[in-house]
Amino acid sequence: MTITPTSLRIQDSLDAALSRRRVVLWYDPNGEWASEFESYQPASAEKLKVVGIEFSVKVAISRAPLSQHFLLYLPSAKPPEPQNWLLDLLLAGHEFTADRASLDIQDAGLTLEFKELAQQHKAFFRSPVRTSKLKELLRPNDDDVAVRLKMLAVLAKQPPDIDKLLLHAFSQLDPANPDADDPVEALYGSHQLSRHFWQAVGEKFGYRCPEPNLRDFAVALFNSVSGIGPSGELLPHARVFQSIWKDSLSARKAFETWSDHLAGVLRVEEQLNDAPDSYDPDDDDSYELIERFVLSRLLQRFQSNASDANLLEAIRNRSSSCWFEKHQHGYRALELAITFRGLLAKADLQVPSFEEGLQRYCNGWWRLDQAYRRCIHHARAYQQPGLLKPLRDWLEAQYVNNVLLPLTNRWSDQVAGLSSWGSEVLPRQKEFHMRYVHAPLSSQGLKRLFVVISDALRYEAARDFADRLTSQAGKGWQAEVDALLGALPTFTQLGMAALLPGAQLGLNPADATALVDGQSATGTENRSKILKSYANGRARAILAEDFLNLTSSKEGAELTRDHDLIVIYHNRIDRIGDKRESEADTCLAVEHAFEDLELILRKIASLKGSQAVITADHGFLFQQEPVAANDRSQFPAAKELTFKNRRFALGTGIQASAGHKVFSAAALGLGASWEAVFPLGLDRYPRSGSGSRFVHGGTSLQEVVVPVIRLRRERKVETRVVEAELLRVPAKVTTGRLSFGLFQLEPVEPRKRLPLKLRIGLYAKADGALLCAHRSVLLDSAAGEAREREQQVILELSNAAADYNNQVLELRLEQQLEGVATPVPYKTVEMKLQRPFGSDFDDF
């Protein structure tokens, strides 16, 4: 006979029983174990088959030595005790049972009290693999409910937690497919465990349904958590479960799928459309439609001149929504429109003089240009043109009519009165090399300097980049922004030449090529020659793309070994903006330029560069929508116009006229006898094939104020996140609500102290069960007054907390880091859950 695993299990069990008892009786009413009895060879016992010889067997055992052991096999049912001739042997010995259920529970490490459970779920125990995995999960005090939950876990290959089993089930079903099998029935039905799955769900969620199924439960769940639609009847744990679902990296996609499907089934959009003005979703993020509704309503309120503070507070309150990141461009566009509106309300765009105009622009007017550009960027990135059209129309009208037109006109009045191009407030762009290159390199403390020239990086964008760089932890650079007065005309050839060493700038009026001390400054190769001449061969001009492709170990090391001055030419903004087919993407190009510059600085740091300077050749004028016809001007009369551009022209004999400003080459500091003419205000000269929204070359503040970012590598990053302290945390939780204070110890400060984002939850210490929905709190207050930096936090306990009464809970604060999906521990406080006698959690 072949020895099967079952036979081996029987033999091992018989050996164990005979080692403990002198007589072992084995009743087999159906005779199904006869072959196993025949094949069994006990090591030190006599086996007897008992059929009608009970009395003689009893006599033989009584006469045998006490050391002799006996296995009695009876191929019949065990008789009632009054008729049982072997009752005294049975009571003194051991009854061995070899029915399937008994063997199954023995394999699983269960006691005989679970025999009925094994009989109910025979299919589960037929697999030795499942039985073995169940045995690993079992604990001494497990009851039927706990054992079945662990059986469910084994089948689903999940932890024995009904929340996790539900998450797994939701991930297995496409709700949009009406023909798909219910995964609960598919996974557990053949093992007779479906009913027990729903019993476990019912116990924790209060879900009751004559024919429970996943789709029906999903409806009950979302109705119980969301404030929109019919009110559900599930217990408070439903909110905790949905919080777990949304926070789960593996299950988040399934949540979005179910949420989107149920939004249609439950007609959420129709209900939101009919919602009264008093309806406030608060922190409800069950459906993405709620996020769209909130943003749409905020946009409407903005158009209705709602309070900026109220709008910003509403946006802040939605920042913890699971859909916020997907809609962040829309929120950011609104925030920046609010910023722009606030700046415009306070702005006095008067230009008393040329010098004061430059000062006022550098002191704050640039913020209007920045808010406009960034708002346009986020509005376009959101890709919801219909929704944001009113906002964009408002912004465009305000920016063009109330910022650009009045400011450029008033500024142009001052420009028109100039006899030469220069300023006492801002250094000329021609002084850049002496101030920011020669002087540092001549000092004993600096061996090498990196200079990055980013084409068309205007002043407001440079301020934006510097602020982002210094406000983020770990970037490693301290940045300060200065300003220069750009050379006229404000276009690439002359601007690039003005940044080079040399005594005299020149411009060829025939083709607008620039010269430095009579040498061509057009192109990287010619600029490199000028730089090498200045630095006795120890200077190098290189394109940004080539610089980034250097290997730090070899080519980068050679570059820094052989050169003291490395000038990197970067062209992203001008390359995109200065083409009619791509000028609409100017705002995006600025954002991409920031990314490029960060990579360049990272490369410089890897080459052990300690100081760098970022500057530009010129700025630009930009408006997202097409330029109005009245912003176009005709070229003035002249003897000859040898070079024409949208914002300037070169030639001779140019006649002065209204709306134009004529400078001689000498007045521009360029020598020679030709002249340059510039349209005043926002006017553009006609140029076929060129765009008109992005322009430069002219005299506007946005074109002529050129930034210089001075960067110094920090030896030690001093930037850190603000700290938080818990206030009024009780030692005991005696109700269904935990309330406490969260205090931000210090104000947020750019470059030094960054905001802290926390995820807060209440957990059972025993098993880590989450007992409330997570709360996200952002500590970003810049208020100097301490009381303004305190926030009140309220956590609503789940009904599942009832299972942990008189046990220790943990209030966990976890820090949410940018770019890191899993929060990291921040602080933990223990407390005891102690509900008063007679209370329960059903009334929360």
Side-chain angles (χ1 to χ4, degrees), residues 65-108:
L66 293 178
S67 59
Q68 178 67 44
H69 288 224
F70 294 90
L71 170 62
L72 308 181
Y73 173 72
L74 298 95
S76 58
K78 182 173 64 174
E81 291 185 359
Q83 287 83 41
N84 192 346
W85 284 81
L86 304 178
L87 180 62
D88 53 343
L89 295 177
L90 180 62
L91 294 174
H94 171 75
E95 180 186 357
F96 177 76
T97 57
D99 59 276
R100 295 289 179 184
S102 299
L103 290 172
D104 287 341
I105 61 173
Q106 290 175 43
D107 287 345

Short mmCIF file of all heavy atoms in Angstrom, two decimals, residues 65-108:
data_model
loop_
_atom_site.label_atom_id
_atom_site.label_comp_id
_atom_site.label_asym_id
_atom_site.label_seq_id
_atom_site.Cartn_x
_atom_site.Cartn_y
_atom_site.Cartn_z
N PRO A 65 0.52 -7.63 31.09
CA PRO A 65 1.33 -6.72 31.94
C PRO A 65 0.91 -5.27 31.73
O PRO A 65 0.47 -4.88 30.65
CB PRO A 65 2.77 -6.97 31.46
CG PRO A 65 2.73 -8.29 30.76
CD PRO A 65 1.36 -8.44 30.17
N LEU A 66 1.09 -4.46 32.77
CA LEU A 66 0.67 -3.06 32.68
C LEU A 66 1.49 -2.28 31.66
O LEU A 66 1.06 -1.24 31.16
CB LEU A 66 0.77 -2.39 34.06
CG LEU A 66 -0.23 -2.91 35.12
CD1 LEU A 66 0.01 -2.21 36.45
CD2 LEU A 66 -1.66 -2.69 34.65
N SER A 67 2.65 -2.80 31.34
CA SER A 67 3.49 -2.11 30.37
C SER A 67 3.06 -2.38 28.93
O SER A 67 3.54 -1.73 28.00
CB SER A 67 4.95 -2.53 30.55
OG SER A 67 5.08 -3.95 30.38
N GLN A 68 2.18 -3.35 28.78
CA GLN A 68 1.72 -3.70 27.44
C GLN A 68 0.63 -2.72 26.99
O GLN A 68 -0.34 -2.47 27.70
CB GLN A 68 1.15 -5.12 27.44
CG GLN A 68 0.60 -5.58 26.11
CD GLN A 68 1.70 -5.74 25.05
OE1 GLN A 68 2.75 -6.27 25.36
NE2 GLN A 68 1.43 -5.25 23.86
N HIS A 69 0.78 -2.13 25.75
CA HIS A 69 -0.19 -1.19 25.21
C HIS A 69 -0.97 -1.85 24.09
O HIS A 69 -0.46 -2.75 23.38
CB HIS A 69 0.52 0.07 24.69
CG HIS A 69 1.05 0.96 25.79
ND1 HIS A 69 0.93 2.32 25.78
CD2 HIS A 69 1.72 0.66 26.96
CE1 HIS A 69 1.49 2.85 26.86
NE2 HIS A 69 1.98 1.84 27.60
N PHE A 70 -2.22 -1.38 23.92
CA PHE A 70 -3.11 -2.02 22.95
C PHE A 70 -3.80 -0.97 22.08
O PHE A 70 -4.23 0.09 22.58
CB PHE A 70 -4.20 -2.85 23.66
CG PHE A 70 -3.66 -4.03 24.40
CD1 PHE A 70 -3.27 -3.90 25.74
CD2 PHE A 70 -3.54 -5.26 23.76
CE1 PHE A 70 -2.77 -5.00 26.42
CE2 PHE A 70 -3.06 -6.36 24.46
CZ PHE A 70 -2.66 -6.22 25.79
N LEU A 71 -3.89 -1.27 20.78
CA LEU A 71 -4.71 -0.47 19.85
C LEU A 71 -5.88 -1.35 19.44
O LEU A 71 -5.70 -2.40 18.83
CB LEU A 71 -3.91 -0.05 18.62
CG LEU A 71 -4.73 0.57 17.48
CD1 LEU A 71 -5.41 1.87 17.93
CD2 LEU A 71 -3.86 0.82 16.25
N LEU A 72 -7.09 -0.91 19.81
CA LEU A 72 -8.31 -1.67 19.49
C LEU A 72 -9.03 -0.96 18.34
O LEU A 72 -9.47 0.19 18.48
CB LEU A 72 -9.23 -1.77 20.71
CG LEU A 72 -8.57 -2.30 22.00
CD1 LEU A 72 -9.62 -2.38 23.12
CD2 LEU A 72 -7.92 -3.65 21.75
N TYR A 73 -9.15 -1.68 17.22
CA TYR A 73 -9.84 -1.12 16.05
C TYR A 73 -11.22 -1.74 15.99
O TYR A 73 -11.38 -2.96 15.91
CB TYR A 73 -9.08 -1.44 14.78
CG TYR A 73 -9.82 -1.04 13.50
CD1 TYR A 73 -9.96 0.29 13.14
CD2 TYR A 73 -10.37 -2.03 12.67
CE1 TYR A 73 -10.63 0.63 11.97
CE2 TYR A 73 -11.03 -1.70 11.51
CZ TYR A 73 -11.17 -0.35 11.17
OH TYR A 73 -11.84 -0.01 10.01
N LEU A 74 -12.28 -0.91 16.05
CA LEU A 74 -13.66 -1.40 16.03
C LEU A 74 -14.36 -0.84 14.79
O LEU A 74 -14.69 0.35 14.75
CB LEU A 74 -14.41 -0.96 17.29
CG LEU A 74 -13.82 -1.49 18.62
CD1 LEU A 74 -12.86 -0.45 19.23
CD2 LEU A 74 -14.94 -1.82 19.60
N PRO A 75 -14.58 -1.66 13.75
CA PRO A 75 -15.24 -1.18 12.52
C PRO A 75 -16.75 -1.06 12.70
O PRO A 75 -17.55 -1.67 11.98
CB PRO A 75 -14.88 -2.26 11.50
CG PRO A 75 -14.68 -3.50 12.31
CD PRO A 75 -14.14 -3.07 13.63
N SER A 76 -17.14 -0.29 13.70
CA SER A 76 -18.55 -0.11 14.01
C SER A 76 -18.69 1.21 14.76
O SER A 76 -17.71 1.79 15.23
CB SER A 76 -19.07 -1.26 14.87
OG SER A 76 -18.32 -1.34 16.08
N ALA A 77 -19.94 1.62 14.90
CA ALA A 77 -20.19 2.86 15.65
C ALA A 77 -20.03 2.61 17.13
O ALA A 77 -20.26 1.49 17.62
CB ALA A 77 -21.59 3.37 15.35
N LYS A 78 -19.66 3.64 17.85
CA LYS A 78 -19.52 3.51 19.29
C LYS A 78 -20.91 3.36 19.90
O LYS A 78 -21.78 4.20 19.69
CB LYS A 78 -18.82 4.76 19.86
CG LYS A 78 -18.60 4.67 21.38
CD LYS A 78 -17.75 5.82 21.88
CE LYS A 78 -18.45 7.14 21.68
NZ LYS A 78 -17.67 8.25 22.30
N PRO A 79 -21.15 2.25 20.65
CA PRO A 79 -22.48 2.02 21.23
C PRO A 79 -22.75 2.96 22.39
O PRO A 79 -21.82 3.54 22.96
CB PRO A 79 -22.38 0.57 21.71
CG PRO A 79 -20.94 0.36 21.98
CD PRO A 79 -20.19 1.17 20.98
N PRO A 80 -24.04 3.10 22.75
CA PRO A 80 -24.35 3.89 23.95
C PRO A 80 -23.66 3.30 25.16
O PRO A 80 -23.37 2.09 25.21
CB PRO A 80 -25.87 3.78 24.06
CG PRO A 80 -26.33 3.40 22.68
CD PRO A 80 -25.26 2.57 22.08
N GLU A 81 -23.42 4.12 26.13
CA GLU A 81 -22.64 3.66 27.28
C GLU A 81 -23.24 2.43 27.98
O GLU A 81 -22.49 1.51 28.36
CB GLU A 81 -22.47 4.81 28.29
CG GLU A 81 -21.55 5.92 27.77
CD GLU A 81 -21.29 6.98 28.82
OE1 GLU A 81 -21.84 6.86 29.94
OE2 GLU A 81 -20.53 7.93 28.54
N PRO A 82 -24.57 2.32 28.18
CA PRO A 82 -25.09 1.10 28.87
C PRO A 82 -24.80 -0.18 28.10
O PRO A 82 -24.75 -1.26 28.70
CB PRO A 82 -26.60 1.38 28.96
CG PRO A 82 -26.71 2.88 28.91
CD PRO A 82 -25.64 3.31 27.97
N GLN A 83 -24.69 -0.10 26.78
CA GLN A 83 -24.45 -1.31 25.99
C GLN A 83 -22.97 -1.48 25.62
O GLN A 83 -22.61 -2.38 24.84
CB GLN A 83 -25.27 -1.28 24.69
CG GLN A 83 -26.76 -1.51 24.91
CD GLN A 83 -27.50 -0.26 25.30
OE1 GLN A 83 -27.23 0.80 24.76
NE2 GLN A 83 -28.42 -0.37 26.26
N ASN A 84 -22.13 -0.61 26.12
CA ASN A 84 -20.72 -0.64 25.71
C ASN A 84 -19.91 -1.52 26.65
O ASN A 84 -19.64 -1.17 27.80
CB ASN A 84 -20.15 0.78 25.69
CG ASN A 84 -18.79 0.84 25.00
OD1 ASN A 84 -18.16 -0.18 24.75
ND2 ASN A 84 -18.36 2.06 24.68
N TRP A 85 -19.51 -2.76 26.18
CA TRP A 85 -18.72 -3.69 26.98
C TRP A 85 -17.33 -3.12 27.30
O TRP A 85 -16.71 -3.54 28.27
CB TRP A 85 -18.56 -5.02 26.21
CG TRP A 85 -19.80 -5.87 26.24
CD1 TRP A 85 -20.90 -5.76 25.48
CD2 TRP A 85 -20.03 -6.95 27.12
NE1 TRP A 85 -21.84 -6.70 25.79
CE2 TRP A 85 -21.32 -7.48 26.81
CE3 TRP A 85 -19.27 -7.57 28.15
CZ2 TRP A 85 -21.87 -8.57 27.50
CZ3 TRP A 85 -19.83 -8.68 28.81
CH2 TRP A 85 -21.12 -9.14 28.48
N LEU A 86 -16.87 -2.19 26.49
CA LEU A 86 -15.50 -1.66 26.68
C LEU A 86 -15.50 -0.26 27.30
O LEU A 86 -14.52 0.48 27.19
CB LEU A 86 -14.77 -1.60 25.33
CG LEU A 86 -14.69 -2.93 24.56
CD1 LEU A 86 -13.99 -2.73 23.23
CD2 LEU A 86 -13.97 -3.98 25.41
N LEU A 87 -16.61 0.06 28.00
CA LEU A 87 -16.73 1.43 28.53
C LEU A 87 -15.61 1.74 29.52
O LEU A 87 -15.06 2.84 29.51
CB LEU A 87 -18.10 1.61 29.19
CG LEU A 87 -18.35 3.00 29.79
CD1 LEU A 87 -18.30 4.07 28.70
CD2 LEU A 87 -19.72 3.02 30.49
N ASP A 88 -15.28 0.76 30.39
CA ASP A 88 -14.23 1.05 31.38
C ASP A 88 -12.89 1.30 30.72
O ASP A 88 -12.11 2.16 31.12
CB ASP A 88 -14.13 -0.08 32.40
CG ASP A 88 -13.96 -1.44 31.74
OD1 ASP A 88 -14.24 -1.55 30.52
OD2 ASP A 88 -13.54 -2.37 32.43
N LEU A 89 -12.61 0.53 29.61
CA LEU A 89 -11.36 0.76 28.87
C LEU A 89 -11.37 2.13 28.17
O LEU A 89 -10.36 2.83 28.11
CB LEU A 89 -11.14 -0.34 27.84
CG LEU A 89 -10.91 -1.76 28.39
CD1 LEU A 89 -10.77 -2.75 27.24
CD2 LEU A 89 -9.65 -1.78 29.27
N LEU A 90 -12.55 2.51 27.66
CA LEU A 90 -12.68 3.78 26.96
C LEU A 90 -12.46 4.95 27.89
O LEU A 90 -11.77 5.92 27.55
CB LEU A 90 -14.07 3.85 26.31
CG LEU A 90 -14.38 5.14 25.51
CD1 LEU A 90 -13.45 5.29 24.34
CD2 LEU A 90 -15.84 5.11 25.04
N LEU A 91 -13.06 4.79 29.13
CA LEU A 91 -12.92 5.89 30.08
C LEU A 91 -11.50 6.03 30.59
O LEU A 91 -11.02 7.14 30.87
CB LEU A 91 -13.89 5.68 31.26
CG LEU A 91 -15.39 5.75 30.91
CD1 LEU A 91 -16.22 5.38 32.13
CD2 LEU A 91 -15.75 7.14 30.39
N ALA A 92 -10.81 4.93 30.72
CA ALA A 92 -9.44 4.97 31.23
C ALA A 92 -8.42 5.23 30.13
O ALA A 92 -7.31 5.69 30.40
CB ALA A 92 -9.11 3.65 31.92
N GLY A 93 -8.82 4.93 28.90
CA GLY A 93 -7.88 5.06 27.79
C GLY A 93 -8.13 6.31 26.95
O GLY A 93 -8.43 7.39 27.47
N HIS A 94 -8.02 6.17 25.62
CA HIS A 94 -8.14 7.31 24.69
C HIS A 94 -8.91 6.87 23.46
O HIS A 94 -8.65 5.80 22.91
CB HIS A 94 -6.75 7.81 24.27
CG HIS A 94 -6.79 8.83 23.17
ND1 HIS A 94 -7.16 10.13 23.39
CD2 HIS A 94 -6.52 8.73 21.83
CE1 HIS A 94 -7.09 10.80 22.25
NE2 HIS A 94 -6.72 9.96 21.29
N GLU A 95 -9.86 7.69 23.06
CA GLU A 95 -10.59 7.41 21.84
C GLU A 95 -9.92 8.14 20.67
O GLU A 95 -9.85 9.37 20.66
CB GLU A 95 -12.05 7.83 21.95
CG GLU A 95 -12.83 7.53 20.67
CD GLU A 95 -14.25 8.08 20.70
OE1 GLU A 95 -14.65 8.65 21.74
OE2 GLU A 95 -14.94 7.94 19.66
N PHE A 96 -9.43 7.38 19.74
CA PHE A 96 -8.79 7.98 18.56
C PHE A 96 -9.84 8.14 17.47
O PHE A 96 -10.59 7.22 17.18
CB PHE A 96 -7.66 7.07 18.06
CG PHE A 96 -7.01 7.58 16.80
CD1 PHE A 96 -6.12 8.64 16.84
CD2 PHE A 96 -7.30 6.99 15.57
CE1 PHE A 96 -5.53 9.11 15.68
CE2 PHE A 96 -6.71 7.45 14.41
CZ PHE A 96 -5.82 8.52 14.46
N THR A 97 -9.89 9.35 16.89
CA THR A 97 -10.83 9.60 15.79
C THR A 97 -10.03 9.96 14.55
O THR A 97 -9.08 10.76 14.60
CB THR A 97 -11.79 10.75 16.13
OG1 THR A 97 -11.05 11.92 16.45
CG2 THR A 97 -12.67 10.38 17.31
N ALA A 98 -10.42 9.41 13.45
CA ALA A 98 -9.71 9.64 12.20
C ALA A 98 -10.64 10.13 11.11
O ALA A 98 -10.40 9.93 9.94
CB ALA A 98 -9.00 8.36 11.75
N ASP A 99 -11.72 10.81 11.51
CA ASP A 99 -12.59 11.38 10.47
C ASP A 99 -11.89 12.58 9.85
O ASP A 99 -10.98 13.19 10.41
CB ASP A 99 -13.93 11.78 11.07
CG ASP A 99 -13.78 12.79 12.17
OD1 ASP A 99 -13.51 12.36 13.33
OD2 ASP A 99 -13.89 13.99 11.89
N ARG A 100 -12.32 12.96 8.64
CA ARG A 100 -11.64 14.02 7.89
C ARG A 100 -11.58 15.34 8.67
O ARG A 100 -10.55 16.00 8.71
CB ARG A 100 -12.37 14.26 6.57
CG ARG A 100 -12.34 13.09 5.61
CD ARG A 100 -10.96 12.90 5.02
NE ARG A 100 -10.93 11.77 4.11
CZ ARG A 100 -9.84 11.32 3.52
NH1 ARG A 100 -8.69 11.90 3.76
NH2 ARG A 100 -9.89 10.28 2.70
N ALA A 101 -12.67 15.70 9.27
CA ALA A 101 -12.70 16.97 9.98
C ALA A 101 -11.71 16.96 11.14
O ALA A 101 -11.02 17.95 11.39
CB ALA A 101 -14.11 17.26 10.50
N SER A 102 -11.65 15.84 11.84
CA SER A 102 -10.73 15.75 12.97
C SER A 102 -9.28 15.88 12.50
O SER A 102 -8.46 16.56 13.12
CB SER A 102 -10.92 14.43 13.71
OG SER A 102 -12.23 14.34 14.23
N LEU A 103 -8.96 15.20 11.38
CA LEU A 103 -7.61 15.30 10.85
C LEU A 103 -7.30 16.73 10.40
O LEU A 103 -6.19 17.23 10.59
CB LEU A 103 -7.43 14.33 9.68
CG LEU A 103 -7.40 12.85 10.06
CD1 LEU A 103 -7.41 11.99 8.81
CD2 LEU A 103 -6.16 12.56 10.89
N ASP A 104 -8.29 17.34 9.76
CA ASP A 104 -8.08 18.71 9.27
C ASP A 104 -7.76 19.66 10.41
O ASP A 104 -6.84 20.49 10.31
CB ASP A 104 -9.33 19.19 8.53
CG ASP A 104 -9.49 18.51 7.18
OD1 ASP A 104 -8.49 17.97 6.66
OD2 ASP A 104 -10.63 18.51 6.65
N ILE A 105 -8.54 19.62 11.48
CA ILE A 105 -8.29 20.56 12.57
C ILE A 105 -6.97 20.24 13.27
O ILE A 105 -6.30 21.13 13.78
CB ILE A 105 -9.46 20.60 13.57
CG1 ILE A 105 -9.67 19.23 14.22
CG2 ILE A 105 -10.73 21.10 12.90
CD1 ILE A 105 -10.71 19.27 15.33
N GLN A 106 -6.61 18.95 13.30
CA GLN A 106 -5.31 18.62 13.88
C GLN A 106 -4.18 19.20 13.04
O GLN A 106 -3.21 19.75 13.56
CB GLN A 106 -5.15 17.10 13.97
CG GLN A 106 -6.05 16.44 15.02
CD GLN A 106 -5.93 14.93 14.99
OE1 GLN A 106 -4.83 14.39 14.88
NE2 GLN A 106 -7.06 14.24 15.08
N ASP A 107 -4.30 19.12 11.69
CA ASP A 107 -3.28 19.68 10.81
C ASP A 107 -3.17 21.19 10.98
O ASP A 107 -2.08 21.77 10.85
CB ASP A 107 -3.60 19.35 9.36
CG ASP A 107 -3.33 17.89 9.04
OD1 ASP A 107 -2.65 17.24 9.86
OD2 ASP A 107 -3.81 17.41 7.99
N ALA A 108 -4.30 21.81 11.24
CA ALA A 108 -4.30 23.27 11.38
C ALA A 108 -3.91 23.71 12.78
O ALA A 108 -3.80 24.91 13.04
CB ALA A 108 -5.68 23.83 11.03
#
